[in-house]
């Protein structure tokens, strides 16, 4: 029997960026053949930041199309929307009782906001509780592993702690402990500012499906070697975001090596390196962009995929929830005993 894995994407912005792709989606696509896979759109999580109905609906549609166009195959995986499986919210309410407040205060989703100067009083409880909902998302399916970017490691670790706490309380192994599956090379793709993780909210992304004028602007504006003033100055390749992106995106490895060699010697301009990256991006994502157009034109089919996925997910999720209810003393059987 295949081991099970599960992962999700939050529709909090317009679409996926290359950090999401190389850090999470690409490995998830590759795992479809080896594992029993559950992938979902974490639309309830988006409520922490998106408060406009049309924007939310639009974000959800965009991410669904992105995800499918990038290679998620509904023949191989169960693909669904979190909000269509009520057990996610139900289990989150329960798991909150096995989660220490002190530990929640150390979660980075919350701490990042504080560091950005946001006042505690203006942080909504959805954001504060988001790692608990994420624990519910995961534990419902009792997966062996969760393929995510490095930024999510802490949340998977919290999930393990909650599961352990629950199991210990009832002296029963209801939840197996899931492993974070993080890519060594691509678990944290740096943003175009060259400093921080590529993130929608930091506006340091390179898109995948955006209009090419936007992607060109994103690439042309990318941070490179700050000590290099003229194209004839020898440049630094290691840790230079433009070469990190070439290594990820450009499938012509000879071209990448040639550009690196010339860059080190001061024989190529930043502009040329960036233009070659734009060309490589166009080539790399050409098929996915076409597939996305086709899916968009046939959205009815996409909805059918999601409805079927929700039915399949519900079967597992309901089973786990019933087991949890029973373990707690909320189950049908325990009340019948009285
Ligand atoms: N820069 C990144 N490098 C590697 N992996 C990344 N992921 C996100 N950014 C990077 C991974 O992508 C998956 C989906 O992430 P999400 O939907 O939870 O979005 P996110 O992490 O919140 O992405 P952003 O762009 O950083 O969004 P904002 O700015 O709204 O917080 C996850 O597996 C994530 O690890």
């Amino acid at each position: 029997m295949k081991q099970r894995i599960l992962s999700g994407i939050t529709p909090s912005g317009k679409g996926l960026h290359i950090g999401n792709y190389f850090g999470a989606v690409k490995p998830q696509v590759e795992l479809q053949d080896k594992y029993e896979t559950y992938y979902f759109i974490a639309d309830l999580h988006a409520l922490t930041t998106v408060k406009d109905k049309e924007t939310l609906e639009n974000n959800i549609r965009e991410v669904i199309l992105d995800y499918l166009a990038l290679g998620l195959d509904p023949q191989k995986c169960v693909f669904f929307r979190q909000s269509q499986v009520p057990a996610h919210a139900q289990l989150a309410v329960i798991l909150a009782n096995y989660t220490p407040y002190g530990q929640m205060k150390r979660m980075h989703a919350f701490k990042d906001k504080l560091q950005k100067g946001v006042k505690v009083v203006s942080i909504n409880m959805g954001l504060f509780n988001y790692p608990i909902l994420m624990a519910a998302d995961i534990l419902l399916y009792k997966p062996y592993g969760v393929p995510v970017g490095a930024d999510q490691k802490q949340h998977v670790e919290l999930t393990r702690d909650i599961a352990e706490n629950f199991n210990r309380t009832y002296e029963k192994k209801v939840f197996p402990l899931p492993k974070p599956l993080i890519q060594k090379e691509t678990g944290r793709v740096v943003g175009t500012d060259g400093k921080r993780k590529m993130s929608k909210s930091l506006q340091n992304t390179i898109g995948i499906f955006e209009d090419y004028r936007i992607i060109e602007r994103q690439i042309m504006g990318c941070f490179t070697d700050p000590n290099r003033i003229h194209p004839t100055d020898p440049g630094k390749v290691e840790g230079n975001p433009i070469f990190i992106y070439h290594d990820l995106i450009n499938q012509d490895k000879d071209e990448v090596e040639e550009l690196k060699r010339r860059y080190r010697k001061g024989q190529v301009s930043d502009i040329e390196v960036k233009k070659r990256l734009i060309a490589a991006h166009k080539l790399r994502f050409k098929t996915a962009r076409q597939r996305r157009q086709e899916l968009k034109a046939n959205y009815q089919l996409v909805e059918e995929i999601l409805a079927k996925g929700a039915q399949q997910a519900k079967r597992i999720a309901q089973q786990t929830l019933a087991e949890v209810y029973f373990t707690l003393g909320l189950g049908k059987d325990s009340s019948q005993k009285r």
Side-chain angles (χ1 to χ4, degrees), residues 7-13 15-25 28 42 49 63 67 116 130 134 147-153 186-191 196-205:
S7 200
I9 296 254
T10 314
S12 53
L16 297 182
H17 51 73
I18 63 163
N20 296 137
Y21 178 64
F22 290 103
V25 178
Q28 288 167 11
T49 51
V63 172
Y67 223 164
K116 283 177 193 159
Y130 142 78
M134 180 164 160
V148 284
D151 58 328
Q152 292 295 342
K153 184 167 183 253
T186 55
R188 183 190 177 276
V189 177
V190 72
R196 297 167 299 176
K197 175 192 94 109
M198 186 175 284
S199 274
K200 284 163 276 188
S201 54
L202 297 173
Q203 295 178 355
N204 60 359
T205 61

Side-chain angles (χ1 to χ4, degrees), residues 4-208:
R4 185 178 296 156
I5 60 167
L6 165 123
S7 200
I9 296 254
T10 314
S12 53
K14 276 209 100 196
L16 297 182
H17 51 73
I18 63 163
N20 296 137
Y21 178 64
F22 290 103
V25 178
K26 184 170 175 280
Q28 288 167 11
V29 168
E30 287 162 359
L31 291 169
Q32 290 179 121
D33 291 314
K34 229 173 124 197
Y35 293 90
E36 180 193 349
T37 42
Y38 284 73
Y39 295 136
F40 67 97
I41 300 295
D43 46 9
L44 292 173
H45 284 287
L47 295 174
T48 59
T49 51
V50 187
K51 303 288 197 302
D52 177 76
K53 180 176 188 280
E54 261 173 50
T55 309
L56 183 65
E57 286 170 345
N58 194 42
N59 289 354
I60 293 169
R61 232 183 347 258
E62 296 291 321
V63 172
I64 290 169
L65 289 171
D66 287 3
Y67 223 164
L68 287 170
L70 288 169
L72 228 70
D73 181 351
Q75 302 294 333
K76 295 181 183 166
C77 72
V78 176
F79 182 47
F80 63 100
R81 279 175 63 173
Q82 178 192 34
S83 61
Q84 293 180 349
V85 183
H88 287 246
Q90 290 169 291
L91 184 61
V93 171
I94 290 172
L95 293 183
N97 300 289
Y98 305 85
T99 315
Y101 173 68
Q103 199 172 4
M104 287 298 288
K105 280 206 305 188
R106 293 195 294 275
M107 291 297 111
H108 67 64
F110 172 63
K111 270 176 51 189
D112 282 0
K113 290 275 172 197
L114 294 185
Q115 270 163 12
K116 283 177 193 159
V118 178
K119 296 250 178 329
V120 180
V121 284
S122 62
I123 292 176
N124 67 57
M125 287 306 292
L127 182 90
F128 188 74
N129 284 340
Y130 142 78
I132 302 180
L133 179 55
M134 180 164 160
D137 297 336
I138 297 171
L139 295 177
L140 272 180
Y141 299 88
K142 302 187 176 185
Y144 145 80
V146 188
V148 284
D151 58 328
Q152 292 295 342
K153 184 167 183 253
Q154 190 193 39
H155 294 152
V156 182
E157 281 165 357
L158 174 77
T159 302
R160 291 169 64 93
D161 290 347
I162 296 175
E164 265 186 327
N165 200 0
F166 187 95
N167 292 347
R168 204 180 321 112
T169 306
Y170 297 98
E171 294 178 1
K172 188 176 166 195
K173 201 173 170 209
V174 176
F175 299 120
L177 307 187
K179 284 188 174 51
L181 307 176
I182 298 167
Q183 301 289 308
K184 264 205 193 86
E185 308 273 306
T186 55
R188 183 190 177 276
V189 177
V190 72
T192 52
D193 56 5
K195 294 184 191 81
R196 297 167 299 176
K197 175 192 94 109
M198 186 175 284
S199 274
K200 284 163 276 188
S201 54
L202 297 173
Q203 295 178 355
N204 60 359
T205 61
I206 295 178
I208 299 173

Side-chain angles (χ1 to χ4, degrees), residues 326 329-338:
F326 179 75
L330 297 173
K332 248 193 206 150
D333 292 359
S334 57
S335 63
Q336 277 167 4
K337 275 186 204 150
R338 265 191 238 132

